[in-house]
């Protein structure tokens, strides 16, 4: 079986055939670092990450390049507004970008090249395009002549003649074709600039990606990704520049991510209808946001709602509860002879994910498995220890490995919450356990809860029903539910 997915270039679903056996050369358009990125950008970054992770799970070695656009009109504008130089802005938001990526639990790229560190490579491509008559100089600017590239429009499927007649006459009326785009922009007062054969200036946005993709991955790459908004003109222009300069196909496959919308409008900085990733991560665990995104296919639009995000958080808790339960049975050595056929689920998972990285279906397979486990456990059909170990291992490979849902980190966040709730009711609990709550932290909180369970058990034995009830109720109030089992044990779940 092999992975197949929708290729924007051929407009059909195709089987993936790598250039080199078991290696994927993948390039993703990264952020323009002029502000904190919003959760629309995050959707593209998260879905690119899950595709990378899935290739790795299927045994590929992925070379994952995500550029950082650190010279751009928007950066210059922000720098002028704040009265600082544009590298101050670019550095600040590059750092913030990397921090947020880490908080999201997105794997670091193999390399995050910066446009400003690749100026010489950019200049070389432009020189080549000029010498072969594909680019031309106008004053201190250099333009790409789209008429010289017969396949212009092949990615977006745009009707170029229509675009030309619809194009507004641009600033530079001397352009040969209104759709010709800048490869190099002559320096203006107060802008960052580099020396070049055409005088001081800076690169256009499109050429940056061509140069960095080819430098780090070679003339022909396997997969190029980005949000839907980049198909035209950005990716169309990348193809024109790269293929005209190298004479080879640029990228064999193109993957585009659907927009994150809000009130059915694209979330974007310019519309002002956005949440930054930072502000969302202050209120929700990264896992909830990722889980929320995985519930929709990467290519479809997704309308963001906080209710949807809340529901995703509950979904994560359901998975977590089952995992806790399995780990509890393991730690208590609770052995049965029931066995779940994990391979059946894994095969199904691979089947749905191989078909265009269908994460919503992938999650459904996991939930079927969770249902199966819960049915077993609640009907008293305990699993074999080896089976439990294999299940834990399977969940780890899928949830942590493919989906990047770091469930142990989530548990710590939950534990921190539980501790603070215990502290709010310090007196009550200190009276019951006759110990200081201060002695507990997120690492050993389960000890305190198990101790309370013991005290309750003793209370029941000596018929102190009020105390037993009080323990159950107080715990319930802080979100910890006790569940008594047929075998006389009690387990707890946190919400
Ligand atoms: P930018 O920093 O604007 O260049 O965008 C970085 C990445 O985020 C690009 O791949 C964009 O296509 C993508 N992107 C921007 N807005 C959205 C959105 N609302 N939904 C999904 N992806 C987006
Ligand atoms: Zn790009």
């Amino acid at each position: 079986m092999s992975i197949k997915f929708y290729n924007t270039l051929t407009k059909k679903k195709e089987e993936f055939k790598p250039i080199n056996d078991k290696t994927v050369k993948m390039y993703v358009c990264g952020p323009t670092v002029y502000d904190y990125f919003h959760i629309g950008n995050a959707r593209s970054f998260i879905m690119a990450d899950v595709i990378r992770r899935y290739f790795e799970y299927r045994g590929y070695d992925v070379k994952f390049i995500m550029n950082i656009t650190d010279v751009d009109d928007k950066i210059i504008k922000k720098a002028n507004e704040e009265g600082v130089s544009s590298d101050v802005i670019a550095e600040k938001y590059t750092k913030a970008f990397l921090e947020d990526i880490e908080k999201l639990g997105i794997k670091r790229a193999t390399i995050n090249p910066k446009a400003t560190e690749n100026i010489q490579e950019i200049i070389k491509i432009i020189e080549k395009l000029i010498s072969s008559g594909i680019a031309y100089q106008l004053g201190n600017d250099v333009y790409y002549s789209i008429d010289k590239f017969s396949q212009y429009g092949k990615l977006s499927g745009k009707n170029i003649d229509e675009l030309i007649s619809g194009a507004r006459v641009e600033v530079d009326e001397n352009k040969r074709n209104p759709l010709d785009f800048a490869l190099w922009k002559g320096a203006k007062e107060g802008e960052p600039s580099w020396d070049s054969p055409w005088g001081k200036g800076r690169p256009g946005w499109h050429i940056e990606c061509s140069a960095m993709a080819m430098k780090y991955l070679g003339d022909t790459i396997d997969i190029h990704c980005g949000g839907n908004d980049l198909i035209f003109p950005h990716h169309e222009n990348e193809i024109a520049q790269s293929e005209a300069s190298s004479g080879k196909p640029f990228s064999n496959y193109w993957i585009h991510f659907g927009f994150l919308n809000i009130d059915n409008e694209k979330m974007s900085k310019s519309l002002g209808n956005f949440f930054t990733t930072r502000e969302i991560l202050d209120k929700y665990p990264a896992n909830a946001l990722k889980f929320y995104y995985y519930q929709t296919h990467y290519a479809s639009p997704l309308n963001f709602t906080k209710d949807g995000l809340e529901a995703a958080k509950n979904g994560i808790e359901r998975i977590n509860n089952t995992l806790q339960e399995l780990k509890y049975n393991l730690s208590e050595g609770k052995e049965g002879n029931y066995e779940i056929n994990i391979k059946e689920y894994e095969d199904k998972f691979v089947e749905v994910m191989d078909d265009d990285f269908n994460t919503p279906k992938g999650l459904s397979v996991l939930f079927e498995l969770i249902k199966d486990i819960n049915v077993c456990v609640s009907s008293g059909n305990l699993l074999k220890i080896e089976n439990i170990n294999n299940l834990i291992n399977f969940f780890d490979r899928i949830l942590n490995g493919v989906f990047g849902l770091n469930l142990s980190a989530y548990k710590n966040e939950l534990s921190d919450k539980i501790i603070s709730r215990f502290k709010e009711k310090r007196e009550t609990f200190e009276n019951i356990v006759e110990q200081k709550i201060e002695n507990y932290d997120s690492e050993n909180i389960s000890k305190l809860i198990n101790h309370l369970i013991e005290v309750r058990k003793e209370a029941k034995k000596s018929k102190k029903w009020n105390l037993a009830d009080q323990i159950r109720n107080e715990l319930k109030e802080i979100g910890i539910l006790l569940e008594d089992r047929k075998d006389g044990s009690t387990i707890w779940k946190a919400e």
Side-chain angles (χ1 to χ4, degrees):
M1 272 207 309
S2 58
I3 301 177
K4 55 182 190 310
F5 55 91
Y6 184 82
N7 183 357
T8 315
L9 186 61
T10 55
K11 288 151 197 72
K12 53 179 194 272
K13 232 188 246 181
E14 288 182 328
E15 187 184 315
F16 177 64
K17 294 201 179 103
I19 300 165
N20 299 325
D21 189 39
K22 286 285 166 188
T23 301
V24 184
K25 298 197 266 183
M26 187 167 172
Y27 184 90
V28 187
C29 292
T32 305
V33 282
Y34 70 104
D35 210 338
Y36 299 113
F37 66 86
H38 59 66
I39 55 171
N41 304 126
R43 183 179 182 211
S44 285
F45 302 148
I46 288 170
M47 298 320 281
D49 184 54
V50 81
I51 290 175
R52 171 205 192 158
R53 287 167 175 274
Y54 186 67
F55 273 116
E56 287 173 348
Y57 164 84
R58 296 285 273 121
Y60 290 88
D61 174 26
V62 184
K63 292 209 163 55
F64 186 96
I65 307 294
M66 183 185 275
N67 71 299
I68 291 176
T69 298
D70 61 347
V71 52
D72 176 84
D73 292 345
K74 291 179 210 153
I75 301 175
I76 296 169
K77 183 166 172 269
K78 180 111 177 196
N80 289 339
E81 281 165 11
E82 297 196 3
V84 294
S85 72
S86 73
D87 24 306
V88 171
I89 297 295
E91 262 169 44
K92 173 175 173 187
Y93 292 107
T94 299
K95 188 166 163 272
F97 165 74
L98 295 173
E99 280 167 12
D100 291 353
I101 284 289
E102 181 159 347
K103 270 193 237 152
L104 281 171
I106 289 178
K107 275 191 157 185
R108 271 297 286 269
T110 314
I111 305 174
N112 280 126
K114 293 179 181 167
T116 57
E117 290 169 356
N118 288 282
I119 302 289
Q120 291 318 314
E121 285 77 3
I122 293 170
I123 290 176
K124 266 192 215 132
I125 300 177
I126 302 176
E127 282 182 312
K128 205 165 171 188
L129 291 172
I130 293 179
S131 68
S132 49
I134 290 157
Y136 58 94
Q137 193 175 349
L138 263 189
N140 292 326
D141 301 333
V142 180
Y143 285 94
Y144 186 99
S145 174
I146 63 150
D147 295 322
K148 296 281 167 63
F149 186 66
S150 62
Q151 297 177 54
Y152 194 75
K154 70 173 170 180
L155 177 73
S156 58
K158 296 249 185 220
N159 180 327
I160 301 305
D161 292 335
E162 258 173 37
L163 283 177
I164 295 171
S165 58
R168 277 181 296 140
V169 183
E170 286 215 18
V171 204
D172 200 330
E173 291 177 19
N174 294 322
K175 282 201 299 188
R176 294 180 189 165
N177 184 318
L179 294 187
D180 288 353
F181 55 90
L183 298 170
W184 188 261
K185 299 176 177 181
K188 295 200 191 88
E189 181 69 25
E191 290 188 359
S193 64
W194 289 263
D195 288 329
S196 82
W198 321 286
K200 279 192 172 300
R202 62 185 167 99
W205 169 39
H206 315 300
I207 193 73
E208 294 174 12
C209 282
S210 284
M212 290 186 264
M214 293 198 290
K215 173 174 171 185
Y216 294 99
L217 296 172
D219 289 345
T220 304
I221 70 174
D222 289 301
I223 306 174
H224 195 311
C225 310
N228 262 338
D229 53 337
L230 301 185
I231 298 176
F232 190 87
H234 185 53
H235 291 162
E236 194 71 68
N237 292 353
E238 277 189 48
I239 293 178
Q241 299 162 150
S242 309
E243 299 196 351
S245 77
S246 75
K248 294 179 199 147
F250 175 44
S251 180
N252 290 337
Y253 301 86
W254 288 80
I255 294 179
H256 288 99
F257 307 115
F259 288 152
L260 183 73
N261 296 329
I262 192 153
D263 298 328
N264 296 308
E265 220 175 354
K266 181 194 167 197
M267 181 176 287
S268 76
K269 294 253 168 65
S270 52
L271 291 171
N273 59 351
F274 63 89
F275 296 106
T276 64
T277 304
R278 294 203 153 190
E279 65 187 306
I280 290 295
L281 291 184
D282 274 346
K283 300 191 189 82
Y284 297 88
N287 285 335
L289 187 66
K290 291 167 94 169
F291 189 86
Y292 180 43
Y293 288 169
Y294 298 153
Q295 287 171 318
T296 300
H297 187 261
Y298 74 80
S300 308
L302 167 62
N303 199 43
F304 178 80
T305 62
K306 288 233 168 126
D307 285 349
L309 187 53
E310 272 307 325
K313 201 172 142 206
N314 294 336
I316 289 276
E317 272 167 28
R318 273 167 61 202
I319 299 179
N320 220 24
N321 281 339
T322 300
L323 270 176
Q324 257 182 346
E325 176 98 38
L326 286 177
K327 286 183 181 162
Y328 173 81
N329 282 351
L330 197 63
S331 66
E332 297 288 300
K334 289 191 178 250
E335 168 124 52
N337 41 29
Y338 203 78
E339 211 168 343
I340 285 174
N341 186 345
I342 302 171
K343 186 166 182 306
E344 201 177 283
Y345 286 99
E346 186 149 17
D347 288 349
K348 184 87 192 125
F349 178 77
V350 169
E351 187 189 322
V352 298
M353 287 290 286
D354 268 3
D355 186 5
D356 210 4
F357 312 106
N358 199 321
T359 54
K361 286 193 181 161
L363 289 181
S364 313
V365 174
L366 287 185
F367 275 106
E368 278 167 34
L369 172 59
I370 282 170
K371 208 169 111 199
D372 205 356
I373 297 172
N374 290 345
V375 167
C376 279
V377 173
S378 60
S379 61
N381 290 324
L382 291 181
L383 300 169
K384 283 187 177 163
I385 293 291
E386 193 193 347
N387 197 223
I388 297 181
N389 271 322
N390 291 340
L391 279 168
I392 290 173
N393 183 285
F394 172 73
F395 278 119
D396 187 51
R397 282 186 299 122
I398 305 296
L399 294 170
N400 291 338
V402 178
F403 289 124
L405 299 168
N406 187 349
L407 288 183
S408 61
Y410 178 68
K411 221 180 144 199
N412 281 342
E413 261 174 62
L414 190 65
S415 310
D416 288 344
K417 273 189 209 146
I418 297 173
I419 293 269
S420 65
R421 292 181 203 150
F422 264 114
K423 286 186 177 157
E424 276 167 28
K425 304 197 101 195
R426 171 176 294 135
E427 256 180 65
T428 313
F429 287 110
E430 287 186 348
N431 279 338
I432 298 173
V433 293
E434 294 170 351
Q435 282 178 22
K436 288 242 173 286
I437 298 296
E438 300 302 338
N439 298 337
Y440 294 93
D441 58 25
S442 55
E443 293 298 318
N444 63 7
I445 184 65
S446 55
K447 254 191 180 168
L448 175 60
I449 303 172
N450 287 334
H451 185 58
L452 279 158
I453 290 175
E454 277 310 307
V455 176
R456 175 166 166 264
K457 208 168 165 184
E458 287 304 314
K460 276 183 172 176
K461 259 194 206 155
S462 45
K463 300 196 176 2
K464 291 182 188 154
W465 306 114
N466 283 347
L467 177 60
D469 285 349
Q470 190 202 357
I471 292 174
R472 174 193 280 279
N473 294 337
E474 295 288 358
L475 283 173
K476 191 171 169 203
E477 261 184 48
I478 62 166
I480 295 168
L481 305 180
L482 300 186
E483 204 177 304
D484 294 321
R485 290 295 162 93
K486 282 187 201 140
D487 64 1
S489 66
T490 301
I491 63 157
W492 61 273
K493 285 179 184 166
E495 52 185 21

